[in-house]
Structures are given as C-alpha cells and as structure tokens.
Amino acid sequence: INAEYMGTTKIILRPYMGLEIKMLDDQDGNKDCVVVIHSITPDGPAAKAGLLTDDILYMWEDKRLKSKQTWDDLVKQSSIGNKVTLSTIRQIDGQEKKFPVEVTIGSTQRIVGGKRKVKSKLVANVGGKKGSRTSPKGKAKAKPKASTPKGKPSPSKTPNKKSSETPKAKKSPKSPKKSPKKSPKSPKKITKEEIKVVISN
C-alpha cells in the first residue's frame, strides 16, 4: 500500500536509536530495573555502533538506567546527530564484561497535517491470470437466463395438457330435415263405364 499526503503537511524529525528494550529484574529481586536490548534494527544507529541483542545498558553518560521511562525520556531529550556513551555489559565466554559504546543519535520522521491518500493495488489470481477479481466467497456468478421472445412459449416449459391433446373435430350443425315433397296425385282415369253412367244421369 502506498500512502501520499495532500495539502499542508509538516515533517517532524525525532531522535532514533534503532533498538527496542525489555526490562528484567536484578539479582536482588528488584522488579524491572535492568535495561536489556530486545532487538536491533539492521543498519540503525545501535547496529552501526556495535551493540548486540541481550546487551545490558546500565548507564547513559553519567545517568543510571533504572526503568523504561528513564530510557524513553533520555532518547526523546537527545539531539539528532549527537553522540552518546552507553555503559554496556555483555556475556562473553560465560563472563560479564563491561565496556562503553558510543552511539550517534539517528532520526526518524513523522508527518503531521494534511490528508492521507492511500493507494492500494488489488491483484487476484484466478486460474493463473493477474488482474482479475475473484467472486466473493468463491461463488461463481450465475449466468443470465436467455430471454424468450414475447408470445412464444419457452422450450424449457412443459406444454399444458390441453395443448398436447389432439383437437377434436367439431360437429357440423345438423341441416334441418327436409320433408319430401308430396308428388301431386295423378288424376284418376275415368273408365268408359263411369262415362256412360254420367251421361245417362
């Protein structure tokens, strides 16, 4: 993550020793009164002066180091670039040896004011490719469903029973029965006998 400061800013330099300390008890049972180097920053002022981890620091110039607060106050009050002599005890071949170590006070900076703008680079590997982002919790994104044109049934849907049945043929309306036309009665043939009877009458 890269950080940039925008607007009016002020850089404050602070004294820096390049080491961290821890407090131990002394041989008389006094609590937290011995200053011991816990860790050293590579290429820092303490490392350049030759100090090592587990060295005991018991004097800062002519002032006795009895607590962590005393150490912190002396570091804060020191001037950057000045040299300070630390009385040191080191275990060498099972024996304690005392010797002075001269340390040049370094500096560390602190930015005050302005607005901090953070630039972060998000790089995710998906299938060996850089620059693509993984979906949250490893869930694959659902593919959008293909839209079906309006008015046409979707092929995935089961057709209704009614539509699957063969439509029955509609019965044509019955034509009204036409009563057969009565053929006109043929006139009776008049026999000769009937003609005679009529004439005689």
Side-chain angles (χ1 to χ4, degrees):
I1 298 176
N2 298 326
E4 293 181 357
Y5 289 85
M6 303 174 65
T8 304
T9 58
K10 184 179 180 181
I11 298 176
I12 299 176
L13 297 178
R14 297 183 297 177
Y16 174 67
M17 294 291 290
L19 62 83
E20 291 184 6
I21 65 169
K22 60 183 177 181
M23 302 303 298
L24 298 180
D25 303 341
D26 64 6
Q27 295 176 352
D28 299 329
N30 297 314
K31 299 291 184 181
D32 298 333
C33 60
V34 180
V35 177
V36 181
I37 297 178
H38 178 64
S39 63
I40 293 179
T41 304
D43 297 328
K48 291 177 180 179
L51 289 171
L52 300 176
T53 303
D54 294 331
D55 282 352
I56 298 174
L57 307 176
Y58 66 95
M59 294 288 288
W60 177 298
E61 296 290 350
D62 57 349
K63 295 180 180 179
R64 180 76 177 181
L65 296 171
K66 296 182 179 180
S67 66
K68 186 177 184 302
Q69 187 63 48
T70 303
W71 170 265
D72 291 341
D73 291 342
L74 289 170
V75 173
K76 291 178 183 177
Q77 294 168 8
S78 60
S79 299
I80 297 171
N82 284 0
K83 293 182 179 181
V84 58
T85 300
L86 300 176
S87 298
T88 308
I89 298 176
R90 181 179 296 171
Q91 289 283 344
I92 301 175
D93 297 331
Q95 296 181 354
E96 288 186 352
K97 292 189 176 182
K98 297 181 179 181
F99 54 92
V101 176
E102 189 176 69
V103 181
T104 302
I105 305 296
S107 65
T108 181
Q109 66 181 19
R110 179 184 176 190
I111 300 176
V112 179
K115 293 183 180 180
R116 190 180 184 189
K117 183 180 180 183
V118 179
K119 294 181 180 179
S120 61
K121 295 181 180 180
L122 298 176
V123 179
N125 290 331
V126 180
K129 296 180 180 179
K130 291 185 177 181
S132 56
R133 295 187 180 181
T134 57
S135 57
K137 298 184 181 180
K139 293 183 180 180
K141 293 183 179 180
K143 295 182 179 179
K145 295 182 180 180
S147 59
T148 307
K150 292 184 179 180
K152 294 184 180 181
S154 173
S156 61
K157 292 184 179 179
T158 307
N160 297 331
K161 291 183 179 180
K162 292 182 179 181
S163 61
S164 61
E165 296 178 358
T166 306
K168 295 181 180 180
K170 294 183 180 180
K171 293 182 180 180
S172 58
K174 293 181 180 180
S175 56
K177 291 183 179 180
K178 294 182 180 181
S179 57
K181 292 182 181 181
K182 294 181 180 181
S183 57
K185 294 182 179 181
S186 56
K188 291 181 178 182
K189 292 182 179 181
I190 301 173
T191 61
K192 291 181 179 180
E193 288 78 10
E194 289 177 343
I195 293 172
K196 288 180 180 180
V197 173
V198 172
I199 294 171
S200 59
N201 292 336

